[in-house]
Amino acid sequence: MLNAVKNYDDVDSWKTVMFLYNSALKKVGTKLEILNDEFQHVHKYNPIEHIKTRVKTAESIVKKLKRYGYETSIENMVKYVNDIAGVRVICSFTSDIYRLAEMIGNQNDLKVLAIKDYIKNPKESGYKSYHMLASVPIFLSDGVVDTKVEIQIRTIAMDFWASLEHKIYYKFEGNAPDYISRDLRECAEMVSTLDEKMLSLNEAIHACLEKEGL
Ligand code: 0O2
């Protein structure tokens, strides 16, 4: 019989923890690819443009724990750092994001622990993205470990903005000059306008093709 390892109680080494996070990324990555393929098969359309996965670096984990006021330990990182395993899913249209989030939420072997909708409620900086914190069971030879993965879903335009803003944030260590932060917020609005226009254009194209029986 399997001895279930629950909530990392028996997991104490960095290598084992990282192995679990990497396995969780593989599992979620495959799930997303299957959903995308099925969607293509049924609707002749791919909601996903591309997928990126990454495991947070040790340096970045330690920084986050410090920011939260916790000591550096494996127990604390597993408990308090939710985005050690991260999957970023890039879609063409905002509607794809919600469609995909629903499809992910409907998977029986994935638990959605929290949702942060920074599209409906953008951050002060202008940041937009849809974040799902999920856990997936990783089956080992002697037990099962529920492992957290943060899934970020955003459009190509939102991703473009977030990548630049992330670089700027790190360059200025969080203290960018006012005019740069202001310009970034302006760009974030342009991103929203672009996303809305692209979505309505796409809908118009589909309506037109349908009318012509294509
Ligand atoms: P990095 O370097 O990308 O790893 P939580 O403990 O979950 O409540 P947290 O971790 O701040 O708090 O959660 P949230 O808001 O879901 O943010 C997690 C990740 O989203 C960040 O990880 C970024 O990758 C991204 N993100 C959040 N806010 C912003 C933002 O304003 N701009 C950009 N560019 N990305 C953002 P890290 O660890 O902060 O950074």
Side-chain angles (χ1 to χ4, degrees), residues 24-78:
L25 281 183
K26 272 191 202 157
K27 193 161 178 173
V28 174
T30 305
K31 274 178 175 299
L32 290 165
E33 275 170 30
I34 292 172
L35 283 176
N36 200 34
D37 291 351
E38 190 222 12
F39 210 81
Q40 165 69 31
H41 176 63
V42 177
H43 303 283
K44 308 279 173 272
Y45 166 71
N46 282 325
I48 299 176
E49 279 293 325
H50 58 272
I51 300 171
K52 295 182 233 175
T53 59
R54 69 102 180 88
V55 173
K56 217 173 177 65
T57 60
E59 194 193 355
S60 184
I61 294 170
V62 171
K63 256 195 203 161
K64 202 156 202 172
L65 280 175
K66 268 200 189 137
R67 178 147 60 85
Y68 289 166
Y70 296 114
E71 269 177 37
T72 305
S73 71
I74 289 183
E75 204 188 330
N76 282 346
M77 84 180 215
V78 166

Coordinates of all heavy atoms in Angstrom, one line a residue, residues 24-78:
A24 N 5.3 18.7 -11.4 CA 4.0 19.4 -11.4 C 3.9 20.2 -12.7 O 2.9 20.3 -13.4 CB 3.8 20.2 -10.2
L25 N 5.1 20.8 -13.1 CA 5.1 21.7 -14.3 C 4.9 20.8 -15.5 O 4.1 21.2 -16.4 CB 6.4 22.4 -14.4 CG 6.6 23.6 -13.6 CD1 8.0 24.2 -13.9 CD2 5.5 24.6 -13.9
K26 N 5.5 19.6 -15.5 CA 5.3 18.7 -16.7 C 3.9 18.3 -16.8 O 3.3 18.3 -17.9 CB 6.1 17.4 -16.4 CG 7.5 17.5 -16.9 CD 8.2 16.1 -16.9 CE 9.7 16.2 -16.8 NZ 10.3 15.0 -16.3
K27 N 3.3 18.0 -15.6 CA 1.9 17.5 -15.6 C 0.9 18.6 -16.1 O 0.1 18.3 -17.0 CB 1.5 17.1 -14.2 CG 0.3 16.3 -14.1 CD 0.2 15.6 -12.8 CE -1.1 14.8 -12.8 NZ -1.2 14.0 -11.6
V28 N 1.1 19.8 -15.6 CA 0.2 20.9 -16.0 C 0.4 21.3 -17.5 O -0.5 21.5 -18.2 CB 0.3 22.1 -15.1 CG1 -0.5 23.3 -15.6 CG2 -0.1 21.7 -13.7
G29 N 1.7 21.3 -17.9 CA 2.0 21.6 -19.3 C 1.4 20.6 -20.2 O 0.8 21.0 -21.2
T30 N 1.4 19.3 -19.9 CA 0.8 18.3 -20.7 C -0.8 18.5 -20.8 O -1.4 18.4 -21.8 CB 1.1 16.9 -20.2 OG1 2.5 16.8 -20.1 CG2 0.5 15.8 -21.1
K31 N -1.3 18.8 -19.6 CA -2.8 19.0 -19.5 C -3.2 20.1 -20.5 O -4.1 20.0 -21.2 CB -3.2 19.5 -18.1 CG -3.5 18.4 -17.2 CD -3.8 19.0 -15.8 CE -4.2 17.9 -14.8 NZ -5.4 17.2 -15.3
L32 N -2.4 21.2 -20.5 CA -2.7 22.4 -21.3 C -2.6 22.0 -22.8 O -3.4 22.5 -23.6 CB -1.8 23.6 -20.9 CG -2.1 24.2 -19.6 CD1 -1.0 25.1 -19.1 CD2 -3.4 25.0 -19.6
E33 N -1.5 21.3 -23.1 CA -1.3 20.9 -24.5 C -2.5 20.0 -25.0 O -3.0 20.2 -26.1 CB 0.0 20.1 -24.7 CG 1.1 21.0 -24.9 CD 2.5 20.3 -24.8 OE1 2.5 19.1 -25.1 OE2 3.4 20.9 -24.3
I34 N -3.0 19.1 -24.1 CA -4.1 18.3 -24.5 C -5.4 19.1 -24.7 O -6.1 18.9 -25.7 CB -4.3 17.1 -23.5 CG1 -3.1 16.2 -23.5 CG2 -5.6 16.4 -23.7 CD1 -3.1 15.1 -22.4
L35 N -5.6 20.1 -23.8 CA -6.8 20.9 -23.9 C -6.7 21.7 -25.2 O -7.7 21.8 -26.0 CB -6.8 21.9 -22.8 CG -7.3 21.4 -21.4 CD1 -7.3 22.5 -20.4 CD2 -8.8 20.9 -21.5
N36 N -5.5 22.2 -25.6 CA -5.4 23.0 -26.8 C -5.6 22.1 -28.0 O -6.3 22.5 -29.0 CB -3.9 23.5 -26.8 CG -3.8 24.7 -27.8 OD1 -4.7 25.5 -27.9 ND2 -2.7 24.8 -28.4
D37 N -5.1 20.9 -28.0 CA -5.2 19.9 -29.1 C -6.7 19.6 -29.3 O -7.2 19.5 -30.4 CB -4.4 18.7 -28.9 CG -2.9 18.9 -29.0 OD1 -2.6 20.1 -29.4 OD2 -2.1 18.0 -28.7
E38 N -7.4 19.3 -28.1 CA -8.8 18.9 -28.2 C -9.6 20.1 -28.8 O -10.5 19.9 -29.6 CB -9.3 18.6 -26.8 CG -10.6 17.9 -26.9 CD -11.6 18.4 -25.8 OE1 -11.3 19.4 -25.1 OE2 -12.6 17.8 -25.6
F39 N -9.3 21.3 -28.4 CA -10.0 22.5 -28.8 C -9.8 22.6 -30.3 O -10.8 22.9 -31.1 CB -9.5 23.7 -28.1 CG -10.5 24.7 -27.9 CD1 -11.5 24.6 -26.9 CD2 -10.6 25.8 -28.8 CE1 -12.5 25.6 -26.8 CE2 -11.6 26.8 -28.7 CZ -12.5 26.6 -27.7
Q40 N -8.6 22.3 -30.8 CA -8.3 22.4 -32.2 C -9.1 21.4 -33.0 O -9.7 21.6 -34.0 CB -6.8 22.2 -32.4 CG -6.4 21.9 -33.9 CD -6.5 23.1 -34.8 OE1 -6.4 24.2 -34.4 NE2 -6.8 22.8 -36.1
H41 N -9.2 20.2 -32.4 CA -9.9 19.0 -33.0 C -11.4 19.3 -33.1 O -12.0 19.1 -34.1 CB -9.7 17.8 -32.1 CG -10.4 16.6 -32.5 ND1 -10.1 16.0 -33.7 CD2 -11.3 15.9 -31.8 CE1 -10.9 14.9 -33.8 NE2 -11.7 14.8 -32.7
V42 N -12.0 19.9 -32.0 CA -13.4 20.1 -32.0 C -13.8 21.4 -32.7 O -14.7 21.5 -33.5 CB -14.0 20.2 -30.5 CG1 -15.4 20.5 -30.5 CG2 -13.7 18.8 -29.9
H43 N -13.1 22.5 -32.4 CA -13.5 23.8 -32.9 C -12.6 24.4 -34.0 O -12.8 25.5 -34.5 CB -13.5 24.9 -31.8 CG -14.4 24.5 -30.6 ND1 -15.7 24.6 -30.7 CD2 -14.1 24.0 -29.4 CE1 -16.2 24.2 -29.5 NE2 -15.3 23.8 -28.7
K44 N -11.6 23.6 -34.4 CA -10.7 24.0 -35.5 C -10.0 25.4 -35.1 O -9.9 26.3 -36.0 CB -11.4 24.2 -36.9 CG -12.2 23.0 -37.3 CD -11.3 21.9 -37.9 CE -12.0 20.6 -38.1 NZ -12.1 19.6 -37.1
Y45 N -9.6 25.5 -33.9 CA -9.1 26.7 -33.4 C -8.2 26.5 -32.2 O -8.6 25.7 -31.3 CB -10.2 27.7 -33.1 CG -9.9 28.9 -32.4 CD1 -9.1 29.9 -33.0 CD2 -10.3 29.1 -31.0 CE1 -8.8 31.1 -32.2 CE2 -9.9 30.2 -30.3 CZ -9.2 31.2 -30.9 OH -8.8 32.3 -30.2
N46 N -7.0 27.2 -32.1 CA -6.2 27.0 -30.9 C -6.3 28.2 -30.0 O -5.9 29.3 -30.4 CB -4.7 26.9 -31.4 CG -4.3 25.6 -31.9 OD1 -4.8 24.5 -31.4 ND2 -3.5 25.6 -32.9
P47 N -6.8 28.0 -28.7 CA -6.8 29.1 -27.8 C -5.5 29.5 -27.3 O -5.3 30.7 -26.9 CB -7.7 28.7 -26.7 CG -7.7 27.2 -26.7 CD -7.4 26.8 -28.1
I48 N -4.5 28.6 -27.4 CA -3.2 28.9 -26.8 C -2.2 29.2 -27.9 O -2.0 28.5 -28.9 CB -2.6 27.7 -26.0 CG1 -3.6 27.4 -24.8 CG2 -1.2 27.9 -25.5 CD1 -3.2 26.1 -24.0
E49 N -1.5 30.4 -27.8 CA -0.4 30.7 -28.7 C 0.9 30.0 -28.3 O 1.5 29.4 -29.2 CB -0.2 32.2 -28.6 CG -1.2 33.1 -29.4 CD -1.0 32.9 -30.9 OE1 0.1 32.7 -31.4 OE2 -2.0 32.9 -31.6
H50 N 1.2 30.1 -27.1 CA 2.4 29.3 -26.6 C 2.4 29.2 -25.0 O 1.6 30.0 -24.4 CB 3.7 29.8 -27.1 CG 4.1 31.2 -26.8 ND1 3.7 32.2 -27.6 CD2 4.7 31.8 -25.8 CE1 4.1 33.4 -27.1 NE2 4.8 33.1 -26.0
I51 N 3.2 28.3 -24.6 CA 3.3 28.0 -23.1 C 4.7 28.2 -22.7 O 5.6 27.6 -23.4 CB 2.8 26.6 -22.8 CG1 1.3 26.4 -23.3 CG2 2.9 26.3 -21.3 CD1 0.8 25.0 -23.2
K52 N 4.9 28.8 -21.5 CA 6.3 28.9 -21.0 C 6.2 28.3 -19.6 O 5.3 28.6 -18.8 CB 6.8 30.3 -20.9 CG 7.0 31.0 -22.2 CD 7.6 32.4 -21.9 CE 6.7 33.5 -22.6 NZ 7.1 34.9 -22.3
T53 N 7.2 27.5 -19.2 CA 7.2 27.1 -17.8 C 8.6 27.4 -17.2 O 9.6 27.6 -17.9 CB 7.1 25.5 -17.7 OG1 8.1 24.9 -18.4 CG2 5.7 25.1 -18.2
R54 N 8.6 27.6 -15.9 CA 9.8 27.9 -15.2 C 9.7 27.6 -13.7 O 8.6 27.6 -13.1 CB 10.3 29.4 -15.4 CG 9.4 30.4 -14.6 CD 10.1 30.9 -13.4 NE 9.3 31.9 -12.6 CZ 8.4 31.6 -11.7 NH1 8.1 30.3 -11.5 NH2 7.8 32.5 -11.0
V55 N 10.9 27.2 -13.2 CA 10.9 27.0 -11.7 C 11.6 28.2 -11.2 O 12.7 28.6 -11.7 CB 11.6 25.7 -11.4 CG1 11.8 25.6 -9.8 CG2 10.8 24.5 -11.8
K56 N 11.1 28.8 -10.1 CA 11.7 30.0 -9.5 C 13.1 29.7 -9.1 O 13.4 28.6 -8.5 CB 10.9 30.4 -8.3 CG 10.7 31.9 -8.2 CD 9.7 32.2 -7.1 CE 9.5 33.6 -6.8 NZ 9.0 34.4 -7.9
T57 N 14.0 30.7 -9.2 CA 15.4 30.4 -8.8 C 15.5 30.5 -7.3 O 14.6 31.2 -6.6 CB 16.4 31.5 -9.4 OG1 15.9 32.8 -8.9 CG2 16.4 31.5 -10.9
A58 N 16.5 29.9 -6.7 CA 16.7 29.9 -5.3 C 16.8 31.3 -4.8 O 16.2 31.7 -3.7 CB 18.0 29.1 -4.9
E59 N 17.5 32.1 -5.5 CA 17.7 33.5 -5.1 C 16.3 34.3 -5.0 O 16.1 35.0 -4.1 CB 18.6 34.2 -6.2 CG 19.1 35.5 -5.8 CD 19.7 36.3 -7.0 OE1 19.8 35.7 -8.1 OE2 20.1 37.4 -6.8
S60 N 15.5 34.0 -6.0 CA 14.2 34.7 -6.1 C 13.3 34.2 -4.9 O 12.5 34.9 -4.4 CB 13.6 34.4 -7.5 OG 12.5 35.1 -7.6
I61 N 13.4 32.9 -4.6 CA 12.6 32.3 -3.5 C 13.0 32.9 -2.2 O 12.2 33.4 -1.4 CB 12.8 30.8 -3.4 CG1 12.2 30.1 -4.7 CG2 12.2 30.2 -2.2 CD1 12.6 28.6 -4.8
V62 N 14.3 33.1 -2.0 CA 14.8 33.7 -0.7 C 14.4 35.1 -0.6 O 13.9 35.6 0.4 CB 16.4 33.5 -0.7 CG1 17.0 34.3 0.5 CG2 16.8 32.1 -0.6
K63 N 14.5 35.8 -1.7 CA 14.0 37.3 -1.8 C 12.6 37.4 -1.3 O 12.2 38.2 -0.6 CB 14.2 37.8 -3.2 CG 15.4 38.7 -3.3 CD 15.3 39.5 -4.6 CE 16.6 39.9 -5.1 NZ 16.6 40.3 -6.5
K64 N 11.7 36.5 -1.9 CA 10.3 36.6 -1.6 C 10.0 36.2 -0.2 O 9.2 36.9 0.5 CB 9.6 35.6 -2.6 CG 8.1 36.0 -2.7 CD 7.5 35.4 -4.0 CE 6.3 36.2 -4.4 NZ 5.8 35.9 -5.7
L65 N 10.7 35.2 0.4 CA 10.5 34.9 1.8 C 10.9 36.1 2.7 O 10.2 36.4 3.6 CB 11.4 33.6 2.1 CG 10.8 32.3 1.7 CD1 11.7 31.2 2.0 CD2 9.4 32.0 2.5
K66 N 12.0 36.7 2.3 CA 12.5 37.9 3.1 C 11.4 39.0 3.0 O 11.1 39.6 4.0 CB 13.8 38.4 2.5 CG 15.0 37.8 3.1 CD 16.2 38.7 2.9 CE 17.4 37.9 3.4 NZ 18.6 38.0 2.5
R67 N 10.9 39.2 1.8 CA 9.9 40.3 1.6 C 8.6 40.0 2.5 O 8.0 40.9 3.0 CB 9.5 40.3 0.1 CG 8.4 41.3 -0.2 CD 8.7 41.9 -1.6 NE 8.7 40.9 -2.7 CZ 7.6 40.5 -3.3 NH1 6.4 40.9 -3.0 NH2 7.7 39.6 -4.3
Y68 N 8.3 38.7 2.6 CA 7.1 38.3 3.4 C 7.4 38.2 4.9 O 6.6 38.0 5.7 CB 6.6 36.9 3.0 CG 5.9 36.9 1.6 CD1 5.7 35.6 1.0 CD2 5.5 38.0 1.0 CE1 5.1 35.6 -0.2 CE2 4.9 37.9 -0.3 CZ 4.7 36.7 -0.8 OH 4.1 36.6 -2.1
G69 N 8.8 38.4 5.3 CA 9.2 38.3 6.7 C 9.3 36.9 7.2 O 9.2 36.8 8.5
Y70 N 9.6 36.0 6.4 CA 9.8 34.6 6.9 C 11.3 34.2 6.8 O 12.0 34.7 5.8 CB 9.0 33.6 6.1 CG 7.5 33.8 6.2 CD1 6.7 34.2 5.1 CD2 6.9 33.6 7.4 CE1 5.4 34.3 5.2 CE2 5.5 33.7 7.6 CZ 4.8 34.1 6.5 OH 3.4 34.3 6.6
E71 N 11.7 33.3 7.7 CA 13.1 32.8 7.6 C 13.2 31.9 6.4 O 12.2 31.3 5.9 CB 13.3 31.9 8.8 CG 13.9 32.7 10.0 CD 14.1 31.8 11.2 OE1 14.4 30.6 11.0 OE2 13.8 32.3 12.3
T72 N 14.4 31.8 5.9 CA 14.6 30.9 4.7 C 14.7 29.4 5.2 O 15.6 29.0 5.9 CB 16.0 31.2 4.1 OG1 16.0 32.6 3.7 CG2 16.2 30.4 2.8
S73 N 13.6 28.7 4.8 CA 13.6 27.3 5.1 C 12.8 26.6 4.0 O 11.9 27.2 3.4 CB 13.1 27.0 6.5 OG 11.7 27.2 6.5
I74 N 13.0 25.3 3.8 CA 12.3 24.6 2.8 C 10.8 24.6 3.2 O 9.9 24.8 2.4 CB 12.8 23.2 2.6 CG1 14.2 23.3 1.9 CG2 11.9 22.3 1.8 CD1 14.9 22.1 1.6
E75 N 10.5 24.4 4.5 CA 9.1 24.4 5.0 C 8.4 25.7 4.7 O 7.3 25.7 4.1 CB 9.2 24.2 6.5 CG 7.9 23.6 7.1 CD 7.9 23.6 8.6 OE1 9.0 23.5 9.2 OE2 6.8 23.7 9.1
N76 N 9.1 26.8 4.9 CA 8.5 28.1 4.7 C 8.3 28.3 3.2 O 7.3 28.9 2.8 CB 9.3 29.2 5.2 CG 9.1 29.4 6.7 OD1 8.2 28.8 7.3 ND2 10.0 30.1 7.4
M77 N 9.3 27.9 2.4 CA 9.1 28.2 0.9 C 7.9 27.4 0.3 O 7.2 27.9 -0.5 CB 10.4 27.9 0.1 CG 10.7 26.5 -0.2 SD 12.2 26.4 -1.1 CE 11.8 25.1 -2.3
V78 N 7.8 26.2 0.8 CA 6.7 25.3 0.3 C 5.3 25.9 0.8 O 4.3 25.9 0.1 CB 6.9 23.9 0.8 CG1 5.6 23.0 0.7 CG2 8.0 23.2 0.1

